[in-house]
Amino acid sequence: MKLRFAPSPTGHLHVGNARIALANWLFARKSGGHLLLRLDDTDTQRSRQDYAEAIEEDLRWLGLDWDELVRQSDRLERYAAAAEALKASGRLYPCLESEEELAYKREQQRRAGRPPLYDRAALKMTPDQLSRAMANGKVPYWRFKLSNTTVEWQDHVLGRRAVKLSAISDPVLVRADGSPLYTFTSVVDDLDMGITHVIRGEDHVTNTGIQLDLFAALGGDARKLAFAHLPLLTDADGGPLSKRIGSLSLRQLRRDGIEAASITGYLAGLGTSHDPAPGAPRDLLPGFDLGAVSHSSPRFDPRQMMGLNRKLLHALPFA
């Protein structure tokens, strides 16, 4: 069994990230599995070394460790080779439309009452047309040709899930400048590194359908992958937590005097029938069960977390 926590070093970790990291750690440690920390840092415009260092520091502060550390920026040659293999098999094809042209097409489709999907017009280009366009200075980006199937899996949290690939636009995997996107690099890594279980947020359900198709196209056996998608946290009023995420970074909570065990104990209990109680990750192992996580989005209430923090502080020795 092998799991991975794969943050992008484009900012500080917040409570949503911490919940995913904690779930991966608890599942791996309780099952005797291997945990990989993978820094998804191929976005050279936004990724920063100080954020990468902060991620490691924050995870250790929470009481989480890992068995292996990998940086995607060290694997660019591998992604290029995987892209060439997909091109050779006809699953990765060049596109030349600008963002303005794509936006116009989407608007026309909406007006006609059709879903705004990519029309695969680039597949109709002949090699001669492509060569002439490139000779005139156009640089292609590359899309993955999805299968005309429905991808299904038994989710460890959400139950049976299905994604109809014909209802999704072929995703861009490689930008015009040659840089690979997350959808692509994540699958190459999961395949190469022998990942067996993926625990992440519910917002990745559609991504999972796409990535399972890509996994198979790269020669992997999709049946060897298990998934668990955790419902996304909301704020205390049931609204999007993203609006307050800056104030809920682990850095800020730490500065505000919140103990790590208050955060991990609270996050472990959210979305389950168990009453949250302060606890370091190692103390939470006996009661951890992915099957106990509700399908509905749990509410993250800072007041409840602060109540746990008071309880924890009152129990500490005076010194």
Side-chain angles (χ1 to χ4, degrees):
M1 180 182 290
K2 191 171 185 180
L3 294 92
R4 43 72 162 187
F5 174 58
S8 297
T10 55
H12 291 122
L13 293 182
H14 52 71
V15 291
N17 305 134
R19 183 171 179 244
I20 300 299
L22 179 63
N24 275 280
W25 188 92
L26 289 170
F27 194 88
R29 295 296 178 247
K30 190 166 185 177
S31 308
H34 186 94
L35 182 62
L36 169 74
L37 173 60
R38 190 180 73 215
L39 297 176
D40 289 4
D41 60 352
T42 56
D43 186 344
T44 56
Q45 299 292 321
R46 298 169 60 223
S47 295
R48 287 170 30 183
Q49 178 59 28
D50 57 327
Y51 284 142
E53 293 170 359
I55 286 171
E56 293 188 53
E57 181 183 325
D58 288 347
L59 290 175
R60 290 194 178 98
W61 176 68
L62 285 177
L64 305 178
D65 60 355
W66 49 92
D67 303 301
E68 184 181 356
L69 173 65
V70 175
R71 292 178 176 82
Q72 286 192 333
S73 56
D74 294 333
R75 290 174 46 78
L76 296 179
E77 289 184 6
R78 172 67 185 108
Y79 305 138
E84 290 304 316
L86 288 175
K87 291 175 187 178
S89 67
R91 296 297 296 276
L92 197 63
Y93 61 94
C95 301
L96 295 171
E97 296 100 334
S98 67
E99 185 51 48
E100 290 76 14
E101 291 170 319
L102 293 173
Y104 175 76
K105 285 185 179 184
R106 289 192 292 267
E107 182 59 28
Q108 294 300 103
Q109 289 169 318
R110 290 191 188 97
R111 289 182 178 181
R114 300 192 304 270
L117 300 179
Y118 180 64
D119 59 7
R120 290 182 170 174
L123 285 173
K124 299 172 185 174
M125 276 194 306
T126 66
D128 182 56
Q129 287 174 321
L130 178 62
S131 296
R132 278 188 283 130
M134 292 176 66
N136 288 329
K138 285 214 169 187
V139 181
Y141 55 92
W142 299 80
R143 289 183 186 266
F144 176 63
K145 185 178 179 183
L146 292 168
S147 303
N148 188 27
T149 59
T150 296
V151 177
E152 299 183 30
W153 70 94
Q154 185 67 29
D155 198 274
H156 280 235
V157 171
L158 301 178
R160 198 71 186 166
R161 281 293 178 268
V163 174
K164 187 177 180 181
L165 296 179
S166 59
I168 304 171
S169 292
D170 289 345
V172 176
L173 298 191
V174 181
R175 299 182 184 91
D177 64 3
S179 60
L181 277 83
Y182 157 82
T183 303
F184 181 38
T185 57
S186 181
V187 175
V188 175
D189 288 346
D190 288 349
L191 180 60
D192 287 357
M193 297 170 190
I195 299 300
T196 61
H197 292 70
V198 177
I199 301 175
R200 56 188 180 182
E202 189 178 15
D203 53 329
H204 285 286
V205 165
T206 300
N207 264 346
T208 295
I210 294 170
Q211 290 178 321
L212 282 171
D213 194 39
L214 179 54
F215 195 82
L218 288 169
D221 184 353
R223 295 170 300 179
K224 294 182 178 179
L225 272 178
F227 289 89
H229 292 86
L230 302 181
L232 299 183
L233 301 178
T234 67
D235 64 21
D237 299 318
L241 192 67
S242 56
K243 294 180 181 179
R244 300 191 52 203
I245 214 68
S247 64
L248 294 173
S249 72
L250 297 182
R251 291 270 150 143
Q252 186 60 52
L253 293 174
R254 188 176 181 180
R255 282 195 291 265
D256 289 345
I258 306 296
E259 295 292 317
S262 301
I263 298 173
T264 52
Y266 183 56
L267 292 175
L270 275 183
T272 73
S273 59
H274 307 305
D275 290 331
R282 62 183 179 277
D283 301 323
L284 302 170
L285 282 170
F288 177 74
D289 178 14
L290 267 183
V293 178
S294 169
H295 291 194
S296 58
S297 294
R299 298 190 179 194
F300 184 92
D301 188 343
R303 291 169 298 183
Q304 285 187 314
M305 182 180 63
M306 290 169 68
L308 292 185
N309 201 55
R310 284 193 295 272
K311 183 178 179 180
L312 175 64
L313 291 174
H314 290 165
L316 290 177
F318 179 78

